[in-house]
Amino acid sequence: NGIIEAFSDVIAEELNVKKVEIISDVSDIADVKIDPNFNEIRALYPDQIPVVIKAVKSRKYRIAGDTVMLNIDGEEKPYDERILLITYNAKEGQHVASKSGTVVSLDLTLTDELKKEGLARDIIRNIQDARKQMGLEIMDRIKVEFAGFDDTEWVETICRETLADIAKVETPEVTLSIASEFTDDVEVKIAR
């Protein structure tokens, strides 16, 4: 957890998520089901199959790192963690995946604000591509005119990130039509 906390900003940026939150109880995001992993039990402990299966089914175990301590006849004995088949069923509104004891949950709920942000990011990417097509230098400023997008906060962000100024563009060098599944398509006229 310490490593994840230390790099949570980097992880959030790489995964393109708003925030990384570390929880201590997986039951907050998923229902946990633990069953005997019959194939691993047969492979690892062929002479103890009934005893191991009974202990797991009876919940007579505790997990200690990568070891499972089974209580067999009142005595705790260590077993490989692979004897447990652990599955996580996401709770409502969650999507989970797991590997090597780490469970990750994503909340994929699209709010209106996230939809606006996604559209703004598409506009930025398209304008940056148009700047390259126009052969502009990194610091060259452009003029842009929007039709179908007027969110003030995001227009300011788009202009800042693309070195653009809002202006009436009579003779555009490039006209972009950016499709959106959440709103009308956006048209962007661009000139030097």
Side-chain angles (χ1 to χ4, degrees):
N1 284 350
I3 291 173
I4 294 172
E5 280 183 48
F7 292 101
S8 64
D9 291 342
V10 174
I11 294 168
E13 187 174 325
E14 286 298 315
L15 295 177
N16 196 20
V17 297
K18 291 292 178 190
K19 68 179 177 177
V20 173
E21 191 175 322
I22 300 169
I23 60 170
S24 58
D25 186 359
V26 72
S27 67
D28 291 345
I29 57 171
D31 294 318
V32 182
K33 184 178 177 194
I34 301 175
D35 292 308
N37 188 340
F38 298 107
N39 292 336
E40 291 294 339
I41 293 169
R42 275 193 284 281
L44 295 169
Y45 307 102
D47 56 334
Q48 300 176 51
I49 294 171
V51 174
V52 171
I53 290 172
K54 182 179 178 186
V56 173
K57 283 188 169 186
S58 302
R59 303 288 183 238
K60 294 183 177 181
Y61 62 84
R62 68 180 174 86
I63 301 171
D66 59 358
T67 302
V68 177
M69 301 300 292
L70 292 183
N71 187 325
I72 298 175
D73 297 327
E75 183 182 340
E76 260 195 350
K77 297 179 182 177
Y79 288 83
D80 188 289
E81 69 180 338
R82 292 177 290 174
I83 66 166
L84 300 180
L85 181 61
I86 304 174
T87 54
Y88 301 94
N89 296 311
K91 291 193 174 181
E92 178 107 16
Q94 302 290 325
H95 300 272
V96 297
S98 66
K99 186 167 183 165
S100 302
T102 300
V103 180
V104 175
S105 172
L106 292 174
D107 180 354
L108 301 178
T109 305
L110 286 177
T111 63
D112 287 341
E113 187 55 36
L114 285 173
K115 292 173 188 176
K116 285 181 193 175
E117 181 179 350
L119 179 56
R121 297 281 170 218
D122 280 346
I123 293 168
I124 290 168
R125 183 181 48 77
N126 279 277
I127 291 173
Q128 297 293 33
D129 289 346
R131 287 177 58 88
K132 289 177 193 169
Q133 290 173 3
M134 294 166 64
L136 296 173
E137 296 295 324
I138 291 174
M139 296 308 293
D140 289 345
R141 295 200 64 83
I142 58 172
K143 296 177 194 171
V144 295
E145 180 180 348
F146 293 100
F149 190 76
D150 60 2
D151 185 282
T152 306
E153 176 188 345
W154 285 109
V155 167
E156 289 173 7
T157 300
I158 292 167
C159 289
R160 184 175 55 255
E161 292 193 20
T162 61
L163 293 178
D165 297 306
I166 300 294
K168 184 78 174 153
V169 178
E170 298 293 338
T171 54
E173 285 185 55
V174 176
T175 301
L176 303 172
S177 181
I178 301 163
S180 170
E181 60 188 87
F182 308 113
T183 184
D184 294 334
D185 291 355
V186 175
E187 184 179 86
V188 182
K189 295 178 183 176
I190 304 171
R192 294 176 197 262

